[in-house]
Amino acid sequence: MDGAWRIGMLYSRSGVTAGIESTQANGTLLAVEQINAAGGVLGRPLEPVIYDPASSPRLYGQLAAKLLGEDGVRSIFGCYMSSTRKAVMPEIDAHRGLLFYATLYEGFEYHPRIFYTGAAPNQNSMQLARYIMENYGHRFLFIGSNYIFPYESNRVMADLVRQVKGRVLDEVYVPLDCQPSDFDRVIRLIRKHEPDVVFSTVVGKGTAMFYTAFHEAGFDAEKMPIASLTTSEAEIAEMSPGVACCHLTAAPFFEGLETPAARQFVASFKARFGADAPVTACAEAAYFQVMLYAEALTRAGSDDPEALVPHLLGLEYDAPQGRIRIDPDNHHTELWPRVARVDRNGRFEVVWNPEVRIKPEPYFVEPTLDDWTFARLRIKK
Ligand code: ACM
């Protein structure tokens, strides 16, 4: 058979989450270009069909339908906000396509036609909770953006905190298209409660507004940090120097990860997209999921989802974060949890790196007290 293998790309270049999604688009393009430079798959190049869904769930749904219908694409790579994944899902069903989703999310989902390559809560929330309670305390304040991921992610975090007799002092949400003034109320709440940590599930452009308001309020981030799963190198790049200092993020990959594979990936990324292009965990997942797709395509010899899926189940790959594996039971990915703290130069310094690959548990059935990542919690009295 001649011609290119067409794949769909749905990453926003505009709207609330354009910053982080642009890093995912870059990760995807880097993988495609490397694969094509090495001869493509079975002698045929990958050809991305690219649209900008502008951070709008409605556009995600419409463009997914276009890709899988008019454009003849079988697999889509994309989505960041869970609301956009949920909008694409019915189109994946209707057209019998595949979605490769490279973003951490709230869990509690399994779809036979979706592969989830970002962290599930047992691969980031649990580790972050543990790190916070060992090092800062157990009085939490939650702040999030107003959509599904923050509500669900906060519910999971609240369960973890309460299991070890920690406290959630308050929980507050700001609009997705927030303005700096939306954080006035949040700053008042932080002042009132004086928590040990602020757990933030704010996403996209609001992240810089929140961290800036926190910084300007004069809070001491060394003692009371903001801890997040969604504040990456991309959101920090939107802040003034020093604003992000001392805050925490849990993720399987950071730009500053000191391994040969990570360094090589970061060097290739910056050589292609510029020295200032942020390299994020979501970009790394976007990159390696194309590599997994290409390997499955090579083995299957067809881009028909029915032919591809059996080759993806249990597939392993030496990703920049470490060797990862698609869990055949739930289509999520075995990943390497880490916690990092932002230094004075705005760079993540990895502060907790257990070098353990963790199996995804999207349903978080037993947020297992006997799991070592949890059982080692020590709570301040
Ligand atoms: C997210 O909405 N999954 C970050």
Side-chain angles (χ1 to χ4, degrees):
M1 209 204 287
D2 302 313
W5 304 104
R6 300 188 110 197
I7 58 170
M9 270 177 68
L10 288 181
Y11 291 115
S12 300
R13 294 286 193 172
S14 54
V16 172
T17 49
I20 181 70
E21 293 196 55
S22 293
T23 76
Q24 293 179 300
N26 289 348
T28 307
L29 291 173
L30 184 64
V32 166
E33 289 168 11
Q34 288 181 355
I35 289 163
N36 289 346
V41 177
L42 303 174
R44 297 165 55 185
L46 297 180
E47 181 188 291
V49 182
I50 304 172
Y51 295 118
D52 174 8
S55 310
S56 151
R58 185 179 51 79
L59 279 180
Y60 268 92
Q62 287 173 2
L63 292 170
K66 183 164 160 43
L67 282 169
L68 297 165
E70 284 167 49
D71 297 329
V73 156
R74 317 298 301 273
S75 289
I76 294 177
F77 295 77
C79 301
Y80 177 78
M81 282 188 279
S82 291
S83 48
T84 67
R85 185 187 70 258
K86 301 269 188 203
V88 164
M89 217 183 273
E91 304 304 333
I92 294 288
D93 281 328
H95 296 272
R96 306 185 69 74
L98 288 182
L99 173 66
F100 290 81
Y101 179 57
T103 306
L104 66 117
Y105 87 112
E106 63 280 4
F108 296 90
E109 188 179 294
Y110 162 78
H111 191 290
R113 292 176 171 275
I114 301 181
F115 287 90
Y116 305 77
T117 56
N122 78 302
Q123 296 168 311
N124 57 7
S125 301
M126 209 169 198
Q127 292 75 13
L128 189 59
R130 168 193 177 277
Y131 187 82
I132 291 165
M133 293 201 240
E134 279 200 0
N135 294 285
Y136 295 92
H138 58 286
R139 297 169 63 257
F140 286 63
L141 189 104
F142 289 176
I143 153 123
S145 297
N146 190 10
Y147 77 103
I148 179 171
F149 162 75
Y151 284 99
E152 287 297 303
S153 179
N154 282 339
R155 186 179 59 76
V156 168
M157 187 57 99
D159 280 351
L160 289 170
V161 170
R162 288 183 188 125
Q163 276 199 22
V164 289
K165 309 237 180 311
R167 283 179 62 201
V168 179
L169 304 167
D170 215 333
E171 182 169 340
V172 59
Y173 294 87
V174 293
L176 264 172
D177 59 346
C178 53
Q179 303 300 317
S181 58
D182 286 310
F183 293 95
D184 294 349
R185 181 170 62 112
V186 178
I187 296 300
R188 280 198 299 275
L189 275 178
I190 297 172
R191 236 188 259 297
K192 176 176 152 201
H193 290 295
E194 296 184 346
D196 295 324
V197 66
V198 180
F199 177 55
S200 170
T201 45
V202 174
V203 299
K205 293 194 197 309
T207 310
M209 293 177 206
F210 175 41
Y211 283 56
T212 303
F214 188 97
H215 183 71
E216 287 174 355
F219 296 130
D220 182 354
E222 296 221 30
K223 291 210 182 81
M224 177 182 63
I226 303 169
S228 175
L229 311 169
T230 45
T231 302
S232 73
E233 292 82 349
E235 288 76 20
I236 290 173
E238 293 173 2
M239 301 177 197
S240 303
V243 163
C245 179
C246 311
H247 298 303
L248 302 167
T249 295
F253 178 87
F254 292 96
E255 194 176 301
L257 195 60
E258 289 287 337
T259 65
R263 278 204 294 266
Q264 192 187 345
F265 173 63
V266 170
S268 307
F269 200 100
K270 295 206 182 258
R272 170 64 178 83
F273 300 108
D276 292 338
V279 194
T280 64
C282 291
E284 190 248 5
Y287 172 84
F288 77 64
Q289 67 178 13
V290 178
M291 296 300 185
L292 290 170
Y293 169 81
E295 180 58 30
L297 189 55
T298 305
R299 295 183 190 188
S302 161
D303 67 354
D304 181 342
E306 317 297 334
L308 281 177
V309 167
H311 295 284
L312 286 160
L313 303 178
L315 193 57
E316 302 201 21
Y317 177 71
D318 282 315
Q321 68 177 272
R323 190 167 181 82
I324 55 87
R325 175 175 184 266
I326 299 284
D327 189 324
D329 296 336
N330 58 38
H331 286 203
H332 290 61
T333 310
E334 292 184 22
L335 301 170
W336 299 79
R338 292 165 173 123
V339 176
R341 181 174 180 268
V342 183
D343 71 13
R344 301 209 171 272
N345 302 314
R347 283 194 283 267
F348 280 113
E349 185 194 347
V350 177
V351 289
W352 185 73
N353 188 3
E355 295 294 354
V356 177
R357 188 169 84 178
I358 299 282
K359 189 176 154 58
E361 295 282 359
Y363 286 92
F364 219 53
V365 181
E366 301 270 338
T368 46
L369 285 164
D370 57 350
D371 182 309
W372 69 267
T373 57
F374 200 78
R376 281 174 30 160
L377 287 172
R378 282 184 278 110
I379 303 304
K380 282 184 191 165
K381 292 280 173 327

